[in-house]
Amino acid sequence: MAMPLAAQSTSLDELPAATQDEISRVCLPVQYREGAGAYRNCVQTEISLRDGSTNNPSDLARLSFDDKYAVQQACAKAGGQSSSDYQSCVTTQISELNAVEAPKLELISEDELYVVQQSCFDAQSKQGAANYRRCLNGEVNSLLAIPAADTSNLNMLKKNALQLRCSSNASNAVQYRQCVASEFESIAGQAPSFLPVSTAAVVTANQPTLDNNQRNNQTVNDVVQEVAQSQQTQIEPATTTESSSANNAQLADNEAPQEEPTMSLPRNIVPPGADQRQLTDVIDNKTSTDTVNIAEVVNSDSSEQEAASSESADNLLLAQASTVDTAAQTPDAADARVISRPELVETLNKQAQAKAQGVELDAADAAATSAPDAGADLMSKASVLWQKFLNSLSSLDSTGWLIIAGILALPALLLGLFSFTRHLKPRTAVAPSSHPDLASRIEPGLQTRRLRHEEQAASLFDDESPASTADIDHDAITRIATKSERPLERTGLDNALAEDDIDNPVRSDAPHQSGQPVAETTHWQSAFGGWLQRLPDTEKTSACIEFLIYWVAYGDDRYEPELKKRLFTATDLSSHDEIKRWVLKQDVFAFSDVIAWMRQNATQAELDQSVSLIWALLVTENNVTPVQTTLIRYLSDAFGTGKENIESRFEKAFGHPLPTMPRTDNLAWWAKQDDTQVQDWNARAIATRPEQEQMIARLGLPAKYNEAQVINAFRRAARRCHPDRFTALGDRERAMAEQRFIKFEEARDKLLGVSV
Amino acid sequence: MRNYYDVLDLARSASSKALNDALGGLTTEQIEEEGDLKAIMETTEWRTHYRRAHLQYEAIAAAMNHPALQGTLDTHLWSKRVIEFEPEQNTIDFGAPGTK
């Protein structure tokens, strides 16, 4: 049974702060994962363990959090925590851990501790607790061998700045401490004072395995102290330095090994405040092969260009400090980065080059500030900037130049490509919409943009034929027209269109201009052919399209029986009623005459757009009737489009594939049809449903729809009805599409609850 | 597509009574041979859509027989689909425009 929370709290509060923190670190994740009860049990268990109620000598609870983590990581693969293998592993790990002296973490600062732990994280998570502790020892001892800059006098702000700068630059604790020493002056504005390093000897005195480390650390210590002392000395004249450099270079040449040794990453110790900048590279002792500790000093005073040349390696002073016996190296030594001598030389060469450039720029800056007047000052600054620019260019390698050349050449390439494509294809005639009102309602500003860009887009995207133009997905035509974008009054054209846009299309005053000459003679198969032939040539295409629209509509019985009765009894019929009557008579030869006439006389654009108009007016998304499927597929062949093309166009227009060929004579096909879908094929039945259901059916939405579905369905419908898709047809056809669009608008508004 | 009206020896516009009579007069062999015919034609909804499709197949067959439409694309294999739908030729030459 869990101890009462109050009692636990008392127990927890009575523990030392460090223990409380330890327990919190262990149990807080439990609280987050499993809740308050589990947290309470966890705390109780941890307290009991620390009270000695469990006398297991290998108890994990007695370890520090970090050691415990290392043990758990090492034993994670041994099995579950309750398994004997796991317990055995824990016992072994703790036993090995106890054989290694605990690191003197208290001798280093908190931020250094963080860096030390970071350096040993790999050992902690992969190499077991003992190796982790050895790693900590190695890092701490290496650290203690270097004098630490005394940051106690810095205010919190500067201390934080220093810590931030060095924690981002250093990959281990030694580098961090060196960084603090070197960056101290730039932040504090004064040279640092160093704390004594005697603690290192104390720490390492009883560690035989670290003798070599100690030796190397002592060497490092000497170097650092030497550098630190150099801050107090007078800067030597350049000539002296150069002479010294030459001597040292000679020494380095003589003492350098014949084979290229591998050396660990140089540790830059730049004594703060030294005008003669010395780049001191200290090689630590953590290499897996024979390594040398080298304190390298770059003669930074050489302002000659040679410093930036490839021969600047001569300016390096390589002083071999000691040879490291790797026999007693610690496991964590494997983590030290090893670089080759050429790599080191290259690194230093680059630093010397940068330094040399800095000298030049400093001189230029000085000249600029001493200019007597503002003009000269400006010129000097320009000169400095120019010099910086040239220096940047000079430091570019071949890749950099290649990238710059590519960036500069890209606009020219694009321009050339654009010009080429424009000349490659004839320009497409732009057919502005005859219904800017509708277009602007669908997409304000669309007309202007289309007029401006249509020629370019057509030439760029192989959009040559008007039919293809009609099939472009006009992504721009996707925004829903809002109430404010609606015209205040319906146009005369709107009013001329009856409620039923299918049964009462209007004839435009402007006759449709077909692009092809009308065939003089045709073998008509029906009386309708004779009637069609008597029409003015300019009206024949429109009459044929009208016939097809009625044919598709009435094929699904989308007419009232009263209409059929009236048409068959009336004697004085309009041309529209004449067409309707032939359709209602189901005169299949009239149908074949229409197809034949259009195939012979209409342009391909008119043929393609006729099909687009038919489905814009009659086909509903997700509700394509068998008749519509059959006729659309047949017209694609009769009009020379083909199966693949029509399927592609249809899917673009409706967002779903064109249904496969219906087999209404086949029971298996019927078995696949959804009953609800079959009912929706009956347009007249839909017209008797409640208004909401009619709107849903009009947009082809499911019974349960959301706002996004309404918007997307409307956008597709708006694209299908856009007048720019029917540029090859007449005003009447475009007006029918507009009327249909208004119907879709109405459905969208009612489904979205928009007040019109 | 099968032309069930042709099997029943009826016109597409035949009344329901005539259709039911024809269906009742089918022999067992005919029913077995035309497996789906009876089910399709006896179910009102299916028959309605079959009749509508039947009209389109007649129309397509007429178009495919039109002299001006010979050699058009046939990516949907219409020539095979409409093989049972052969409307009678009804060519009428109205002559020059304006004549009736």
Side-chain angles (χ1 to χ4, degrees):
Chain A
M1 179 177 291
M3 180 181 290
L5 189 59
Q8 277 191 44
S9 300
T10 305
S11 302
L12 190 60
D13 292 343
E14 289 173 353
L15 294 174
T19 307
Q20 289 184 31
D21 292 342
E22 193 78 22
I23 293 175
S24 296
R25 272 195 291 180
V26 172
C27 294
L28 277 177
V30 176
Q31 182 188 24
Y32 293 134
R33 283 198 311 267
E34 302 171 27
Y39 172 74
R40 184 187 302 166
N41 293 336
C42 175
V43 170
Q44 177 59 28
T45 304
E46 292 293 324
I47 292 174
S48 301
L49 292 171
R50 282 163 177 76
D51 285 344
S53 56
T54 306
N55 294 320
N56 187 349
S58 64
D59 201 329
L60 280 173
R62 297 183 180 280
L63 300 179
S64 71
F65 178 82
D66 292 320
D67 286 342
K68 190 165 132 182
Y69 178 78
V71 171
Q72 288 172 335
Q73 288 295 308
C75 297
K77 295 180 181 176
Q81 292 192 3
S82 58
S83 68
S84 58
D85 288 343
Y86 181 82
Q87 294 299 333
S88 172
C89 174
V90 169
T91 304
T92 304
Q93 284 287 322
I94 293 177
S95 174
E96 291 176 0
L97 184 65
N98 291 333
V100 181
E101 185 176 355
K104 306 295 183 185
L105 299 176
E106 66 276 9
L107 297 180
I108 61 177
S109 65
E110 190 174 350
D111 47 318
E112 288 173 336
L113 173 61
Y114 174 77
V115 181
V116 165
Q117 288 175 331
Q118 288 295 312
S119 300
C120 293
F121 177 75
D122 197 53
Q124 183 187 24
S125 56
K126 296 176 182 173
Q127 298 174 10
N131 284 333
Y132 170 59
R133 186 170 283 187
R134 290 191 190 97
C135 175
L136 290 178
N137 278 327
E139 287 288 328
V140 170
N141 293 333
S142 299
L143 193 60
L144 294 176
I146 299 174
D150 185 4
T151 60
S152 58
N153 292 329
L154 294 180
N155 61 32
M156 188 60 70
L157 199 62
K158 290 182 177 178
K159 192 181 287 185
N160 285 343
L162 192 59
Q163 289 171 353
L164 277 174
R165 181 177 297 181
C166 290
S167 59
S168 61
N169 292 336
S171 61
N172 58 34
V174 172
Q175 282 185 6
Y176 177 81
R177 185 171 278 195
Q178 290 168 344
C179 173
V180 170
S182 63
E183 298 291 337
F184 186 94
E185 186 176 27
S186 65
I187 290 178
Q190 61 182 13
S193 60
F194 289 89
L195 297 171
V197 296
S198 57
T199 50
V202 174
V203 172
T204 57
N206 297 324
Q207 295 187 26
T209 58
L210 297 177
D211 281 350
N212 292 306
N213 287 343
Q214 185 179 351
R215 280 206 303 272
N216 289 319
N217 290 335
Q218 185 59 47
T219 302
V220 172
N221 192 26
D222 292 344
V223 172
V224 173
Q225 283 184 326
E226 183 179 320
V227 171
Q229 288 169 2
S230 70
Q231 301 169 52
Q232 311 299 328
T233 61
Q234 187 68 28
I235 301 170
E236 294 180 7
T239 52
T240 306
T241 307
E242 287 173 2
S243 173
S244 174
S245 301
N247 292 335
N248 288 333
Q250 182 68 32
L251 176 62
D253 289 342
N254 292 337
E255 294 184 355
Q258 294 303 312
E259 296 180 1
E260 289 186 354
T262 56
M263 296 171 285
S264 59
L265 189 67
R267 310 222 185 276
N268 299 335
I269 299 180
V270 182
D275 292 336
Q276 177 186 356
R277 298 178 181 178
Q278 293 179 322
L279 177 64
T280 305
D281 295 330
V282 180
I283 309 303
D284 69 13
N285 58 343
K286 300 174 183 178
T287 58
S288 57
T289 58
D290 289 345
T291 58
V292 289
N293 277 353
I294 301 175
E296 296 174 84
V297 180
V298 175
N299 182 5
S300 60
D301 192 53
S302 57
S303 58
E304 293 82 2
Q305 290 296 328
E306 287 81 2
S309 71
S310 61
E311 298 174 355
S312 61
D314 293 339
N315 295 327
L316 303 179
L317 302 179
L318 303 177
Q320 181 173 354
S322 65
T323 303
V324 178
D325 181 6
T326 60
Q329 64 179 332
T330 54
D332 56 303
D335 293 334
R337 180 187 169 200
V338 176
I339 63 170
S340 64
R341 179 187 178 89
E343 188 179 355
L344 174 62
V345 170
E346 183 184 0
T347 302
L348 297 176
N349 190 15
K350 286 180 180 176
Q351 292 172 345
Q353 182 180 358
K355 175 188 63 58
Q357 292 171 355
V359 170
E360 291 174 6
L361 296 178
D362 289 344
D365 286 338
T369 51
S370 62
D373 56 77
D377 183 65
L378 191 62
M379 288 299 295
S380 299
K381 287 183 178 176
S383 172
V384 170
L385 288 175
W386 178 246
Q387 189 62 44
K388 286 182 178 177
F389 175 70
L390 291 179
N391 288 335
S392 302
L393 291 182
S394 65
S395 63
L396 284 175
D397 56 5
S398 58
T399 307
W401 280 112
L402 199 60
I403 291 172
I404 288 178
I407 292 171
L408 293 176
L410 187 61
L413 284 174
L414 290 176
L415 192 62
L417 183 64
F418 178 73
S419 302
F420 174 73
T421 53
R422 278 181 63 83
H423 287 88
L424 195 63
K425 300 181 182 306
R427 294 173 64 179
T428 304
V430 179
S433 167
S434 61
H435 291 273
D437 171 66
L438 172 62
S440 62
R441 218 179 325 154
I442 297 173
E443 171 67 3
L446 172 68
Q447 291 299 307
T448 309
R449 288 208 303 279
R450 284 186 65 83
L451 289 174
R452 191 166 61 244
H453 298 301
E454 193 157 3
E455 283 191 8
Q456 299 171 6
S459 60
L460 279 175
F461 300 109
D462 194 20
D463 190 17
E464 208 167 342
S465 70
S468 300
T469 305
D471 287 331
I472 290 176
D473 267 338
H474 297 289
D475 289 334
I477 319 171
T478 54
R479 202 159 63 78
I480 298 176
T482 61
K483 186 178 179 182
S484 62
E485 293 162 1
R486 292 170 181 278
L488 295 177
E489 296 178 0
R490 291 289 170 87
T491 63
L493 186 60
D494 294 333
N495 294 326
L497 289 167
E499 179 66 19
D500 184 349
D501 54 330
I502 305 305
D503 288 337
N504 300 286
V506 295
R507 185 177 294 278
S508 168
D509 292 334
H512 168 57
Q513 298 289 339
S514 175
Q516 296 288 325
V518 178
E520 291 297 329
T521 58
T522 303
H523 282 288
W524 303 110
Q525 293 187 314
S526 68
F528 177 80
W531 178 87
L532 183 67
Q533 190 157 333
R534 289 194 296 278
L535 287 178
D537 289 347
T538 53
E539 297 182 14
K540 286 177 178 171
T541 301
S542 278
C544 286
I545 293 173
E546 189 175 345
F547 180 97
L548 287 179
I549 291 170
Y550 292 142
W551 186 270
V552 177
Y554 293 175
D556 281 321
D557 292 346
R558 294 174 65 152
Y559 59 89
E560 296 300 327
E562 292 76 15
L563 173 69
K564 190 173 184 179
K565 185 177 179 182
R566 180 178 67 83
L567 291 177
F568 285 162
T569 56
T571 54
D572 187 17
L573 295 176
S574 69
S575 60
H576 305 298
D577 287 344
E578 288 273 9
I579 296 173
K580 287 176 189 172
R581 188 165 67 174
W582 260 292
V583 173
L584 286 172
K585 283 173 65 178
Q586 300 183 345
D587 189 335
V588 295
F589 298 105
F591 174 84
S592 67
D593 278 343
V594 166
I595 299 295
W597 194 93
M598 290 193 68
R599 190 75 178 91
Q600 284 185 317
N601 298 285
T603 64
Q604 188 61 47
E606 287 172 327
L607 296 174
D608 291 339
Q609 294 185 14
S610 297
V611 176
S612 296
L613 180 65
I614 286 170
W615 71 38
L617 298 178
L618 300 173
V619 179
T620 305
E621 275 190 25
N622 301 309
N623 188 27
V624 192
T625 68
V627 167
Q628 291 168 346
T629 303
T630 303
L631 286 174
I632 287 172
R633 287 186 176 278
Y634 172 69
L635 291 177
S636 73
D637 276 344
F639 290 170
T641 303
K643 184 169 180 268
E644 291 184 3
N645 195 358
I646 200 69
E647 288 177 345
S648 170
R649 284 174 52 192
F650 185 92
E651 189 158 3
K652 276 185 182 177
F654 287 86
H656 62 79
L658 177 65
T660 54
M661 277 296 298
R663 288 295 306 274
T664 52
D665 62 327
N666 192 312
L667 274 181
W669 182 84
W670 279 108
K672 295 176 185 173
Q673 308 308 310
D674 181 65
D675 287 342
T676 309
Q677 176 92 65
V678 173
Q679 290 171 7
D680 285 347
W681 288 342
N682 190 343
R684 295 211 325 253
I686 291 176
T688 62
R689 294 177 185 173
E691 186 184 51
Q692 179 84 357
E693 291 183 26
Q694 289 187 46
M695 300 301 113
I696 292 172
R698 189 177 293 173
L699 287 176
L701 296 169
K704 291 183 179 179
Y705 60 90
N706 57 35
E707 184 178 316
Q709 287 174 308
V710 174
I711 292 171
N712 289 333
F714 170 75
R715 285 174 175 169
R716 286 190 291 270
R719 289 193 201 107
R720 293 195 295 270
C721 296
H722 196 281
D724 284 354
R725 291 194 180 279
F726 311 113
T727 52
L729 305 182
D731 287 344
R732 179 173 51 174
E733 286 76 25
R734 283 192 289 272
M736 294 169 78
E738 178 179 0
Q739 190 67 18
R740 189 63 182 159
F741 169 76
I742 292 170
K743 296 274 188 182
F744 287 129
E745 271 190 322
E746 177 192 12
R748 178 208 61 194
D749 292 343
K750 288 187 175 173
L751 292 177
L752 294 180
V754 178
S755 172
V756 181
Chain B
M1 192 169 86
R2 296 303 317 280
N3 189 343
Y4 292 147
Y5 284 106
D6 191 41
V7 173
L8 296 172
D9 198 19
L10 292 172
R12 180 169 26 83
S13 57
S15 65
S16 296
K17 184 177 180 306
L19 182 62
N20 288 335
D21 290 346
L23 288 173
L26 288 176
T27 63
T28 309
E29 282 185 358
Q30 285 177 307
I31 292 174
E32 288 178 358
E33 190 177 345
E34 304 290 343
D36 295 346
L37 183 151
K38 202 163 186 298
I40 298 290
M41 301 305 278
E42 283 183 344
T43 309
T44 306
E45 197 164 44
W46 294 354
R47 186 175 69 231
T48 299
H49 291 290
Y50 172 79
R51 182 176 48 78
R52 293 176 183 177
H54 189 281
L55 167 64
Q56 306 312 320
Y57 272 75
E58 274 194 8
I60 292 168
M64 294 192 71
N65 285 332
H66 198 290
L69 292 173
Q70 301 302 310
T72 53
L73 279 180
D74 191 12
T75 58
H76 290 85
L77 305 176
W78 297 108
S79 55
K80 294 181 179 176
R81 291 180 189 275
V82 301
I83 201 164
E84 294 186 22
F85 298 83
E86 291 291 338
E88 293 180 3
Q89 292 298 312
N90 187 26
T91 304
I92 301 170
D93 192 349
F94 285 88
T99 61
K100 189 167 184 179

